[in-house]
Amino acid sequence: MQNFDFYSPARIVFGKDTEKEIGGLLKPHASKVLLHYGGGSIKKSGLYDVVISSLKEAGVAFVELGGVKPNPRLSLVHEGIALCKKEGVDLILAVGGGSAIDSAKAIAMGVYYDGDIWEVYEQSKPVDKALPVATILTIPAAGSEASGDTVITNEEKELKLGYGDPHLRPLISIMNPERFYTLPKEQLGYGVADIMSHIFERYFTNTVRVDLTDGLCETTLKTVIKNALLVQKNMHDYDAWSEVGFGGTVAHNGLLGMGRQQDWGCHMMEHELSAIYDVPHGAGLAVLTPAWMKYVYKDNLGMFVQFAVNVMDVKGSFREQEAIALEGIDRLSEFFKKLGLPSTLKEIGIDESKFELMAKKATGVEFGHEHPIGGLKKLYWKDIVEIFKLAK
């Protein structure tokens, strides 16, 4: 087990009607907030009215900025920074999924950053301060409600980059699984693929003697798999949604990666798909993850056998380890298909024309400084092209 420093201060307020408490929860921390949300679904569902009523009742002033899109855009972040500075906002309340929360985090940093906030993402510059962020989660997927991470898309440069800092962990996050009931079924699939990928990026490692986090990863994966299928049958299954939602939080609050080398190759490859083709993040991950597994499994066969047996319930002779590993990967692919997720790049509108460009962008070759990605197996741009070909 490697050294680690784990600190997760995000307060999670879970359960029915908890969104009604938001005004009182924020009152001790803010006098004026930016209410940040997406394209209007919170108004259709009635959540917007609940939040506004709670803020007013608690005497918390607010200004609004809607319009967050999936793969959240830098242009809206710039707009949010200017609005916060103009209005004297002292906290940002993101109501939505990971995109709204990630956008809120970028704005929170940008209020205090002297320059274009994109420099922080592009150059990994340290930040000393950020506005506090609170969230009301409407889509379990990204885990951004408890993480210190954010991902933003620069639409002009066709780049999607992530950034992480302890200042970005939300102060308070509310999760009422009833607010997931109206999600389209495809959002369930996208969210589950993202949740599982966050675990995979930590689980598949060359670090040994990490039995506890191995077990935590495996239990979270099995819980999400089981309950995602229950939700698919009944989108109003409160208990199943609770397991999926809490699984998403645990998957990305940092706990599951403690003491172990992490990978993040699939995420970095998928960011190139999203940046150029604007595909749903979960859809891209569902396509790339099995392809990545098939490309790298021989580099740590034991890890993939463990996954197949402990997570995907594969039976067989341990004398045939490769067969067990491949069966585990196939079962994962079949699970994704059951959720209605795509299994090829062609299904999400991506052909071979930009494979090399995306691979070179992911590894920095396009910008003159090649660095391989991934932890379990170092991937250079030619490796990534081969993974794209496996996924085509």
Side-chain angles (χ1 to χ4, degrees), residues 208-270:
V208 297
R209 299 299 301 275
V210 282
D211 298 349
L212 178 59
T213 44
D214 273 0
L216 292 172
C217 287
E218 290 163 2
T219 295
T220 309
L221 285 167
K222 293 185 75 170
T223 298
V224 170
I225 289 169
K226 172 186 174 181
N227 286 281
L229 295 174
L230 293 175
V231 169
Q232 188 182 47
K233 293 178 182 177
N234 176 11
M235 293 291 284
H236 287 199
D237 188 331
Y238 179 86
D239 291 323
W241 266 127
S242 298
E243 300 282 7
V244 172
F246 188 40
T249 299
V250 173
H252 201 43
N253 73 351
L255 177 64
L256 303 188
M258 292 302 96
R260 55 201 295 140
Q261 179 192 36
Q262 300 181 29
D263 194 275
W264 297 102
C266 283
H267 265 71
M268 295 184 74
M269 288 187 286
E270 199 290 320

Side-chain angles (χ1 to χ4, degrees), residues 72-329:
R73 311 302 203 264
L74 179 63
S75 56
L76 190 66
V77 169
H78 287 154
E79 187 178 339
I81 292 168
L83 181 60
C84 285
K85 289 180 177 180
K86 176 184 176 183
E87 296 289 340
V89 165
D90 46 19
L91 183 146
I92 304 175
L93 172 60
V95 182
S99 294
I101 300 170
D102 282 7
S103 182
K105 291 176 179 178
I107 295 168
M109 288 191 292
V111 169
Y112 294 111
Y113 183 72
D114 186 16
D116 188 340
I117 192 61
W118 182 248
E119 297 171 355
V120 172
Y121 289 84
E122 199 166 40
Q123 301 171 34
S124 297
K125 288 190 172 183
V127 294
D128 298 322
K129 192 176 181 182
L131 285 177
V133 171
T135 84
I136 299 176
L137 189 67
T138 62
I139 304 173
S144 195
E145 69 275 4
S147 79
D149 299 318
T150 165
V151 180
I152 293 295
T153 298
N154 184 325
E155 56 268 54
E156 292 184 2
K157 293 186 175 183
E158 292 189 327
L159 286 174
K160 182 178 178 180
L161 298 178
Y163 183 81
D165 189 274
H167 291 94
L168 301 182
R169 285 194 188 267
L171 181 70
I172 299 167
S173 287
I174 286 177
M175 183 190 298
N176 176 2
E178 291 176 316
R179 291 297 173 180
F180 307 155
Y181 290 175
T182 57
L183 287 174
K185 280 196 173 180
E186 62 264 26
Q187 287 290 350
L188 167 65
Y190 298 154
V192 167
D194 197 7
I195 290 168
M196 293 179 68
S197 183
H198 287 154
I199 304 172
F200 291 150
E201 302 286 20
R202 296 169 166 94
Y203 178 68
F204 288 102
T205 181
N206 293 318
T207 309
V208 297
R209 299 299 301 275
V210 282
D211 298 349
L212 178 59
T213 44
D214 273 0
L216 292 172
C217 287
E218 290 163 2
T219 295
T220 309
L221 285 167
K222 293 185 75 170
T223 298
V224 170
I225 289 169
K226 172 186 174 181
N227 286 281
L229 295 174
L230 293 175
V231 169
Q232 188 182 47
K233 293 178 182 177
N234 176 11
M235 293 291 284
H236 287 199
D237 188 331
Y238 179 86
D239 291 323
W241 266 127
S242 298
E243 300 282 7
V244 172
F246 188 40
T249 299
V250 173
H252 201 43
N253 73 351
L255 177 64
L256 303 188
M258 292 302 96
R260 55 201 295 140
Q261 179 192 36
Q262 300 181 29
D263 194 275
W264 297 102
C266 283
H267 265 71
M268 295 184 74
M269 288 187 286
E270 199 290 320
H271 286 174
E272 302 306 328
L273 307 185
S274 294
I276 294 176
Y277 296 96
D278 200 25
V279 301
H281 183 50
L285 289 171
V287 171
L288 289 179
T289 299
W292 170 82
M293 288 180 169
K294 289 177 181 177
Y295 191 77
V296 307
Y297 78 91
K298 291 182 181 180
D299 288 78
N300 193 329
L301 183 58
M303 191 78 245
F304 283 89
V305 171
Q306 181 175 319
F307 165 70
V309 173
N310 290 355
V311 178
M312 304 310 298
D313 295 323
V314 177
K315 310 294 183 185
S317 170
F318 284 104
R319 298 181 184 184
E320 301 175 338
Q321 292 192 13
E322 186 170 355
I324 291 174
L326 289 171
E327 176 65 19
I329 297 169

